[in-house]
Amino acid sequence: MLMDFLFSDSIYWWLGGLLLWMALVLVCLYLIRWRYFPLAHKYAGWQREAQVIEVATHSALYNLPPAKATVYPFVTIVVPARNQVVHLERLLPCLLEQKYAGRFEVIVSDQLSTDETDELLQRLQVQYRSLRVTHVPQSSRHIELRKLAISLGIKAAHSEWVIVVNPETKPNNDRWLQHFAEHFLPEINFIEAYYNYESNGSQRARRAILERIYAFTNRLEAYEEGIVLGSEMSNYAVRRSWFLEQRGFADSLLLPFGEEALLAFHHVPPECCTMLCSEDTRLTEQLPTVGVLKMRRVMDAEVKRRLRGVSWRTSYRWKFATMLFHLFALSFVTYALLRTLQLIQTATYDLNWIYLDLIALLLFGIFLFLPAYCLRRSLQALGEATYGPYLFFYECFRPWYSLGVSIQRFLHRKEFVRKYLCQAVER
């Protein structure tokens, strides 16, 4: 019966309709997802232009009399840490030796560390006068330690602007703080800057880096539509007075993670937020172990589930685009399989098919090339390597990755709620 269909008169028009469907799928993929891939390149360009203007403006103002000149704001960098002495020994000199035109301080907010963190901090405080230390109280039981450490660090800050940096990250250059501070504007309360894992060329690193790039692109897409869709847990800045007015991380006390994402989603309007995409304001994070990466994916999935309302639009749109991606791949495989069966049976090539075959090859070439091309400029702006064909393989296996994360999130669901806090709230 299949052979009868292959050599019937309707097969030509049926396959032509299949190619038309594939073309429509490509258009939908571009409109739904691929056209948003260059957003990081666009925002990075705007950021570089703003930096040039800022530097030129301040250079001119520095030549004015002191009474009329303006200076860069005083900035506090908060580093929440727990038993991470190796990371702190690597990070703190990079922060404390930043070339910044204004004044700044670094506060390490210790979360009851039991390693040599205290000895390291005491030694560095002798060398760097701008290093300060605060400790989470020993009696702290009702608030997750990292939330409390960040909150205490922000409260202890001597400045209005506070940047939160995790110990396992590191600035790419000694002008990171300078470029970051150039975006502390009067109308802004929250700033998220891009950061990602270091690349060691492994499959694990490529997947982890690309996942974070996709998540950041998703937040840029939402930002374009007037939605602040959460935030990552490092390399972000808050205005101290605004943070205290919002009662800090009060919205996420029952969840032992995701405090930054929930704070940004619930309290930051897009007009009071800035997203930085330039390599100048980027941090690089040491690649964690496989187990840590798996747990982070599970936590990210749980946080996304809690970002209710209009934020779901972008999430479902990306899922729909993933479905279209696989439908196109399945359609092309169907076309190629039917044409191969025809050629095997006839043992000759009919020139009447040349136009359809060329169109099929053209569509498949666009399918492979266009997303990589759209993402390439953003990857360059973010300081990442261009992954080329790996992007295609990642998209192919992405539903299986998501299914695995969903299963793990279901298995760990009881760990996401702090039960004794829930009981205290009910009372």
Side-chain angles (χ1 to χ4, degrees):
M1 186 172 182
L2 177 61
M3 291 299 111
D4 294 339
F5 173 70
L6 288 177
F7 294 100
S8 64
D9 295 336
S10 61
I11 183 63
Y12 187 88
W13 299 105
W14 191 90
L15 291 180
L18 183 62
L19 293 181
L20 179 61
W21 155 255
M22 291 164 60
L24 291 175
V25 169
L26 281 181
V27 172
C28 291
L29 278 171
Y30 177 77
L31 294 176
I32 294 174
R33 180 187 292 179
W34 295 342
R35 72 187 179 101
Y36 294 107
F37 281 178
L39 280 178
H41 172 76
K42 181 177 73 171
Y43 278 82
W46 290 350
Q47 182 180 338
R48 284 191 294 270
E49 292 176 5
Q51 289 171 355
V52 171
I53 296 172
E54 184 74 11
V55 170
T57 302
H58 277 77
S59 297
L61 290 173
Y62 286 147
N63 295 325
L64 295 175
K68 297 183 179 180
T70 61
V71 296
Y72 286 98
F74 185 29
V75 181
T76 299
I77 303 172
V78 172
V79 183
R82 177 176 172 82
N83 294 332
Q84 295 171 295
V85 63
V86 176
H87 295 313
L88 289 175
E89 193 169 12
R90 171 177 174 262
L91 169 67
L92 290 178
C94 296
L95 295 180
L96 293 162
E97 295 173 5
Q98 285 286 307
K99 295 179 180 179
Y100 180 50
R103 295 171 54 228
F104 72 96
E105 63 179 356
V106 176
I107 299 179
V108 176
S109 192
D110 183 52
Q111 307 168 45
L112 307 178
S113 296
T114 57
D115 59 3
E116 296 80 18
T117 296
D118 284 339
E119 290 81 355
L120 172 67
L121 296 177
Q122 290 174 9
R123 186 172 72 251
L124 291 178
Q125 279 184 305
V126 174
Q127 183 179 357
Y128 301 101
R129 298 181 61 183
S130 57
L131 175 62
R132 297 171 56 206
V133 181
T134 184
H135 297 274
V136 171
Q138 291 283 347
S139 59
S140 300
R141 296 183 301 120
H142 299 295
I143 300 179
E144 196 267 333
L145 289 180
R146 186 174 184 275
K147 290 183 176 65
L148 183 56
I150 296 174
S151 300
L152 291 176
I154 293 176
K155 288 182 179 180
H158 291 156
S159 67
E160 178 67 356
W161 275 105
V162 180
I163 304 176
V164 178
V165 174
N166 285 343
E168 60 271 19
T169 59
K170 181 182 178 182
N172 281 7
N173 54 70
D174 58 5
R175 303 282 293 178
W176 162 79
L177 179 58
Q178 178 70 34
H179 292 303
F180 212 122
E182 288 165 357
H183 300 274
F184 292 155
L185 303 177
E187 68 276 10
I188 299 300
N189 293 324
F190 187 90
I191 299 176
E192 179 190 359
Y194 172 81
Y195 78 105
N196 212 326
Y197 302 109
E198 62 184 359
S199 177
N200 58 9
S202 66
Q203 173 80 9
R204 174 166 58 101
R206 285 196 295 266
R207 178 187 168 187
I209 291 171
L210 198 56
E211 285 175 340
R212 188 165 276 179
I213 291 171
Y214 271 32
F216 188 75
T217 303
N218 193 13
R219 291 197 296 277
L220 283 177
E221 175 187 344
Y223 185 67
E224 286 269 299
E225 299 181 356
I227 304 170
V228 178
L229 193 58
S231 171
E232 290 286 357
M233 58 190 297
S234 181
N235 207 24
Y236 67 90
V238 296
R239 189 182 294 275
R240 181 178 180 274
S241 58
W242 171 85
F243 179 83
L244 298 178
E245 288 174 2
Q246 308 305 320
R247 298 187 303 145
F249 300 126
D251 294 314
S252 59
L253 291 181
L254 301 182
L255 189 69
F257 50 82
E259 51 271 10
E260 295 88 0
L262 294 175
L263 172 68
F265 177 73
H266 288 296
H267 298 287
V268 183
E271 61 272 13
C272 298
C273 175
T274 297
M275 300 190 70
L276 304 181
C277 310
S278 171
E279 189 177 3
D280 296 329
T281 52
R282 166 194 173 146
L283 296 180
T284 299
E285 180 179 356
Q286 289 186 335
L287 187 67
T289 62
V290 175
V292 172
L293 279 175
K294 287 182 178 179
M295 186 50 61
R296 285 187 180 181
R297 293 182 183 115
V298 172
M299 292 189 296
D300 289 342
E302 178 65 17
V303 170
K304 288 179 182 177
R305 191 182 70 84
R306 294 169 182 262
L307 301 183
R308 303 179 183 277
V310 293
S311 65
W312 283 10
R313 291 183 305 178
T314 57
S315 176
Y316 282 121
R317 192 159 57 199
W318 275 57
K319 291 179 181 179
F320 180 64
T322 300
M323 183 188 69
L324 290 179
F325 180 94
H326 288 83
L327 283 177
F328 181 94
L330 180 63
S331 300
F332 181 80
V333 169
T334 302
Y335 180 92
L337 181 61
L338 294 177
R339 288 290 294 125
T340 301
L341 290 175
Q342 276 188 327
L343 291 174
I344 291 174
Q345 291 297 319
T346 59
T348 58
Y349 185 83
D350 188 351
L351 292 178
N352 292 327
W353 287 89
I354 191 170
Y355 294 109
L356 287 185
D357 291 343
L358 288 176
I359 292 174
L361 291 175
L362 176 63
L363 292 175
F364 187 68
I366 295 174
F367 177 66
L368 292 178
F369 173 77
L370 188 58
Y373 174 77
C374 291
L375 191 59
R376 184 172 183 271
R377 292 190 298 169
S378 288
L379 291 175
Q380 291 175 341
L382 296 171
E384 301 289 356
T386 54
Y387 288 100
Y390 179 76
L391 182 64
F392 175 79
F393 293 106
Y394 172 77
E395 287 284 357
C396 289
F397 290 100
R398 192 178 181 194
W400 303 106
Y401 295 151
S402 300
L403 178 61
V405 171
S406 298
I407 293 174
Q408 290 297 318
R409 187 185 65 81
F410 178 78
L411 295 176
H412 291 273
R413 65 190 184 280
K414 294 182 180 180
E415 303 173 12
F416 297 151
V417 178
R418 302 172 67 84
K419 294 182 180 179
Y420 55 86
L421 276 181
C422 290
Q423 296 171 358
V425 171
E426 289 175 358
R427 292 173 186 171

